Structure formats: C-alpha cells, structure tokens
Amino acid sequence: WRDAAAAAQSALRRYYYIPSQGYLSDCLHAPPGTPAERARIDDALRPNQLFAITLNAIDEIEIARSVLAACEELLVPGAIRSLSNRSVTHPLRIVHQGTLLNDPHHPYWGRYAGDEDTRRKPAYHNGTAWTWVFPSYCEAWVKVYGPPAAATARAWLASGFDLMRTGCIGHMPEILDGDYPHRMRGCDAQAWSISEMLRVWRLLESDGADSFF
C-alpha cells in the first residue's frame, strides 16, 4: 500500500499539477487507450483538488500552498464555488436536446434558478457554491500551515454560522448561488453539509492536530 500511495502521489504531481496556473487539473481528457502523458489537461479551477491535500495525496508544501491560494477565489461565505468565474482553454459544452446552453470557453454559471434541465442542472457543478466541500478548505489550510493557523481557519468556517441562523434553523443548506448575494438553494437541511461543518469545527478546536508538513 505504501508503494501504491507513492505511485499515486507521483502521478498526481506529474500529470495533474499545472505549474503555470498553480493548481491541479480536475481531470484529464483522452480517448480510450491513450496513456496519461498524452491526455489533455482540463484547466477548470474547481475545489475537488482540496481533497488531495486533506487525504495526503500531495506531499510537496509549495504545491499545497499554491493550490490553497488558487482555491481562495472560489470561496463565498459558508460555501465554496464548484467552478471559478474565469475562461478555460479546454471547452466545456453543455448541450440539451441539441441546443448549446453555455459559452464553452467560459462555462461559469453563477445562479442556480429557473428551469431544471436548461438552467439549474448546467449551474449545479459549474459555479453553484457547495456547503459540504467548504470545510475541507479550512481543514486543508491547517494541514498546510500547521496548528498556529487554526484560528484563521475557524474564522473562515464561522462564516457558515449565518446560514445556520436563517432558512432551516440549526441546519446547513445544500448549495448557494455562486453569484452575490449567494442565495440559499437546493435542500434546506443537508446532512453531509452540517456533519462536515461539525467534523472540521471539532478538528479546529483542537488546533487542527498536527500538520502534514
């Protein structure tokens, strides 16, 4: 398992890290049978790469810090956007019944509202802000910068408290609009959102345990 973990870390650094952008590619694009070194990098900035830090898949502190710096632009109070509001070189086409719904080179969709198939679904993973992924940013921050950074991470995490005081009291909503004023959308009381909030808050109360670096 140690050898497999080392191979995964090496492959992540070699094939997914984009030095010119300072963050990890969300995925690689290639037809079946094409090796990873010939795949095309997807340069969309998404928050999924935070799990590479929290799960110890990144073992280089400078890369981890760069990933955190890049993901900071995704943050909204209490949530983190699923896609940055920037242009991409690898196009993302969203087509419904033969009709192109978006700008493939600027696929950000910041408002989760309207018709389900032509408005909400395109927004769901392309700009909508998610509450359950947000605590992982705070966790990753402490893993990278160590226990002294726990106070900063708690301050960020506490930005979600206002969401718990409105809507369904004592719970976290599923998603928010990526665009200001970041209206609550989706499920009013999402179990994995509130449980992640609690898990990371308890972690940060203990100053985040030990950093990985």
Side-chain angles (χ1 to χ4, degrees):
W1 287 109
R2 290 189 182 93
D3 291 342
Q9 288 177 324
S10 176
L12 187 70
R13 181 173 59 254
R14 180 178 179 185
Y15 299 124
Y16 287 83
Y17 184 58
I18 312 173
S20 62
Q21 300 285 0
Y23 56 81
L24 298 175
S25 173
D26 191 60
C27 61
L28 304 180
H29 298 273
T34 303
E37 58 263 25
R38 296 215 309 267
R40 184 175 181 183
I41 289 178
D42 189 318
D43 62 331
L45 174 56
R46 297 184 183 275
N48 305 329
Q49 61 190 298
L50 293 170
F51 300 129
I53 299 176
T54 60
L55 296 176
N56 300 336
I58 292 179
D59 59 355
E60 294 184 27
I61 190 168
E62 292 305 320
I63 292 179
R65 287 176 175 173
S66 182
V67 165
L68 281 175
C71 287
E72 189 172 346
E73 76 175 65
L74 300 173
L75 296 176
V76 304
I80 189 166
R81 292 184 293 174
S82 51
L83 179 66
S84 66
N85 186 6
R86 58 163 68 182
S87 297
V88 297
T89 57
H90 185 86
L92 171 62
R93 292 171 53 85
I94 300 177
V95 178
H96 176 67
Q97 296 182 353
T99 300
L100 181 66
L101 300 179
N102 72 328
D103 177 353
H105 287 283
H106 199 116
Y108 175 81
W109 203 305
R111 189 165 179 267
Y112 182 83
D115 176 70
E116 180 177 4
D117 289 333
T118 62
R119 304 298 300 177
R120 283 181 287 157
K121 283 183 178 178
Y124 201 47
H125 293 288
N126 297 305
T128 294
W130 290 71
T131 53
W132 82 267
V133 185
F134 169 65
S136 290
Y137 184 90
C138 306
E139 180 182 3
W141 184 267
V142 175
K143 284 183 177 289
V144 171
Y145 291 103
T152 299
R154 281 196 298 269
W156 274 325
L157 192 60
S159 70
F161 288 172
D162 282 344
L163 300 176
M164 298 170 63
R165 299 186 184 107
T166 55
C168 190
I169 304 297
H171 293 271
M172 293 288 288
E174 177 187 7
I175 51 178
L176 312 175
D177 281 343
D179 287 348
Y180 182 82
H182 312 300
R183 290 186 175 86
M184 291 184 284
R185 305 287 189 181
C187 175
D188 293 326
Q190 194 78 358
W192 54 68
S193 298
I194 194 70
S195 61
E196 273 295 276
M197 187 83 163
L198 177 60
R199 180 186 70 82
V200 175
W201 184 263
R202 285 179 171 174
L203 177 71
L204 298 178
E205 277 189 323
S206 61
D207 289 334
D210 294 328
S211 64
F212 288 157
F213 303 103

